[in-house]
Amino acid sequence: MLEKLTMYMEYPFVRYALIVGVLIALCSSLLGVTLVLKRFSYIGDGLSHVAFGAMAIATVVGLTNKMWIILPVTVVCAVLLLRTGQGAKINGDAAIAMISVGALAFGYLLMNVFSTSANLTGDVCSTLFGSTSILTLTSGEVWLCAVLSVAVVVIFVLFYNKIFAVTFDEDFARAVGTRADSYNLLVAVVIAVIIVLAMNLVGSLLISALVIFPALSAMRLFSNFKMVTVCSALLSVLCAFLGIVISILAGTPVGSTIVAVDVAAFGICWVMGGVLGGVRA
């Protein structure tokens, strides 16, 4: 098995997949803790469906670089979700469901009506579940992912204290002069960027698992926000790496395999948290 893995590592597309997978897993885990604690976990699911709809539009108009449509559309919808969810007329979960279902249906409709592909089912499956796209990355896409990932990590580190404040007690943060709306908006925009990056890794239907599972696993072991964030990042990176390696060796779908490893890690952390009573740090 080691010889087989060494042989596969000689191919650039395998190295690209591992690099992108680790970077996306790291970015997803950093803000996953914040989303879980703010009870806004399914924003990833909603935005992933928006990204699917944007990808359908880009495919229909024949863009070779779909990122120019997908990224701005997803960011705009993230802002709209935040604004709508804060309104009195439509609650946050209702806004996510509305935009999520609408974008998914609209995207699939477009791909059916204006399809130029001989394998529409395969294209849709790849977009929804990330079956093969992570193994067809170009060097340009890898560099773009690396730049955006570094930007996400830098933003998180620079504004860590503010994000921590609006995560645990938004009212108190406002009272002491923190611009909570601005930092909520920053979180929404960064999540949108992560969602767009993660589509190639696990597909639009499985993105929320990449955000939620590492955070929930870390929460079973630690109670301190910083330790939960660090543990979540480590677990997410490890699971992504193992998932991609297992997928390559076993020939299984990449996205589904990564999520399966995340689920297994959550089960292990759940048992450890129950047996050991968690680590109070």
Side-chain angles (χ1 to χ4, degrees):
M1 183 176 294
L2 185 59
E3 293 179 357
K4 186 177 181 181
L5 181 60
T6 303
M7 179 191 70
Y8 276 122
M9 288 299 295
E10 296 178 359
Y11 296 100
F13 72 89
V14 176
R15 297 196 295 270
Y16 290 164
L18 287 171
I19 293 171
V20 171
V22 167
L23 289 175
I24 293 174
L26 174 63
C27 294
S28 302
S29 62
L30 291 179
L31 288 172
V33 178
T34 296
L35 293 182
V36 170
L37 292 175
K38 288 176 72 68
R39 300 184 184 278
F40 218 46
S41 305
Y42 269 97
I43 190 174
D45 190 57
L47 291 178
S48 67
H49 293 172
V50 170
F52 173 79
M55 179 173 285
I57 295 174
T59 302
V60 169
V61 300
L63 285 181
T64 53
N65 189 348
K66 299 179 176 63
M67 189 72 73
W68 295 110
I69 285 184
I70 299 174
L71 187 57
V73 168
T74 308
V75 169
V76 169
C77 286
V79 175
L80 290 177
L81 274 176
L82 181 66
R83 298 299 185 190
T84 306
Q86 291 174 340
K89 294 183 179 180
I90 304 178
N91 293 326
D93 57 345
I96 292 174
M98 180 179 63
I99 293 180
S100 172
V101 175
L104 188 62
F106 181 73
Y108 187 61
L109 179 64
L110 280 179
M111 293 184 73
N112 270 272
V113 174
F114 301 101
S115 175
T116 57
S117 172
N119 186 20
L120 176 62
T121 302
D123 292 341
V124 173
C125 182
S126 177
T127 304
L128 293 178
F129 297 100
S131 303
T132 58
S133 52
I134 187 63
L135 298 178
T136 58
L137 295 171
T138 63
S139 59
E141 290 173 325
V142 175
W143 275 110
L144 177 61
C145 177
V147 170
L148 291 176
S149 298
V150 170
V152 169
V153 173
V154 169
I155 289 173
F156 182 82
V157 172
L158 288 178
F159 298 103
Y160 171 82
N161 291 330
K162 302 297 183 182
I163 293 173
F164 173 83
V166 298
T167 297
F168 277 94
D169 197 336
E170 189 170 321
D171 293 333
F172 179 77
R174 293 178 191 275
V176 297
T178 301
R179 294 177 296 175
D181 290 339
S182 298
Y183 290 107
N184 282 330
L185 182 62
L186 177 65
V187 170
V189 171
V190 172
I191 285 296
V193 173
I194 293 172
I195 294 304
V196 173
L197 294 176
M199 282 192 68
N200 282 333
L201 181 63
V202 296
S204 61
L205 287 184
L206 302 176
I207 289 176
S208 56
L210 203 65
V211 174
I212 295 171
F213 274 109
L216 292 178
S217 300
M219 288 176 186
R220 291 295 300 171
L221 301 177
F222 299 96
S223 58
N224 178 275
F225 182 78
K226 182 179 291 187
M227 290 304 300
V228 168
T229 302
V230 172
C231 180
S232 174
L234 292 176
L235 283 174
S236 184
V237 168
L238 179 61
C239 290
F241 180 83
L242 289 177
I244 294 173
V245 170
I246 293 172
S247 172
I248 293 172
L249 294 177
T252 55
V254 179
S256 301
T257 306
I258 293 174
V259 174
V261 175
D262 274 316
V263 173
F266 174 72
I268 294 172
C269 291
W270 181 276
V271 173
M272 290 177 62
V275 173
L276 303 177
V279 180
R280 300 300 173 185

